[in-house]
């Protein structure tokens, strides 16, 4: 999901990521090295205490049933948990459409639409 945020040039809004070894954005990797973005766990286990202490506005995640307790703790601490399962999309444009959602969340609707249109043009030709 960090890739969508990165495509919108909004990496500075990220304060934590899980499984950073799977993030291919050079800017995000640099922000991790600088300590401006924190590693908050992996796809196996989130560091819930660390996430709560960082006071994020929201956590974007794929739904994992075994994490229900973690999700509830985050919600109980006033953190919005947003489930996005874009990895389940089968068509490239359906997956790409998630950038529009991030555009709305981040106030970058125009940038998101431009990125979507760019992918749509290359997919349709």
């Amino acid at each position: 999901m960090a890739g969508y945020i990165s495509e919108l040039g909004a990496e500075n809004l990220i304060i934590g990521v899980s499984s950073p070894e799977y993030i291919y954005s050079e800017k995000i990797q640099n922000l991790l090295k600088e300590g401006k973005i924190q590693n908050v766990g992996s796809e196996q286990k989130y560091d819930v205490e660390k996430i709560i202490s960082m006071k994020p506005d929201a956590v974007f995640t794929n739904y994992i049933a075994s994490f229900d307790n973690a999700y509830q703790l985050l919600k109980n601490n006033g953190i919005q948990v947003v489930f996005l399962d874009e990895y389940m999309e089968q068509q490239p444009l359906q997956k790409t459409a998630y950038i529009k959602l991030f555009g709305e969340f981040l106030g970058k609707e125009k940038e998101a639409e431009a990125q979507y249109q760019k992918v749509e043009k290359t997919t349709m030709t």
Side-chain angles (χ1 to χ4, degrees):
M1 288 177 223
Y4 294 108
I5 297 170
S6 187
E7 283 297 315
L8 295 173
E11 298 93 342
N12 61 318
L13 298 176
I14 301 171
I15 61 171
V17 296
S18 64
S19 301
E21 63 274 17
Y22 298 116
I23 297 174
Y24 300 103
S25 164
E26 186 177 331
K27 185 166 184 183
I28 291 175
Q29 288 298 332
N30 287 336
L31 290 169
L32 278 156
K33 288 176 190 162
E34 294 169 12
K36 294 179 181 174
I37 295 177
Q38 299 295 309
N39 179 351
V40 295
S42 69
E43 69 277 358
Q44 302 297 319
K45 185 173 192 249
Y46 293 154
D47 185 340
V48 176
E49 288 180 10
K50 187 173 190 177
I51 295 170
I52 292 169
S53 74
M54 296 168 70
K55 297 180 169 74
D57 295 324
V59 171
F60 297 98
T61 185
N62 301 117
Y63 178 76
I64 302 168
S66 63
F67 282 25
D68 278 341
N69 288 340
Y71 302 142
Q72 195 57 51
L73 280 169
L74 294 171
K75 290 176 185 178
N76 290 348
N77 281 276
I79 299 169
Q80 183 178 7
V81 179
V82 180
F83 299 111
L84 298 169
D85 293 320
E86 84 292 343
Y87 69 93
M88 296 176 75
E89 300 294 350
Q90 298 299 309
Q91 301 297 318
L93 280 179
Q94 291 173 341
K95 189 175 281 216
T96 302
Y98 279 80
I99 198 164
K100 293 180 183 183
L101 184 63
F102 279 95
E104 287 183 38
F105 281 130
L106 304 173
K108 293 187 167 271
E109 294 92 340
K110 289 179 184 176
E111 295 91 333
E113 185 61 35
Q115 288 291 350
Y116 179 82
Q117 294 296 328
K118 188 167 84 174
V119 172
E120 184 178 44
K121 280 182 185 177
T122 60
T123 302
M124 299 301 203
T125 56

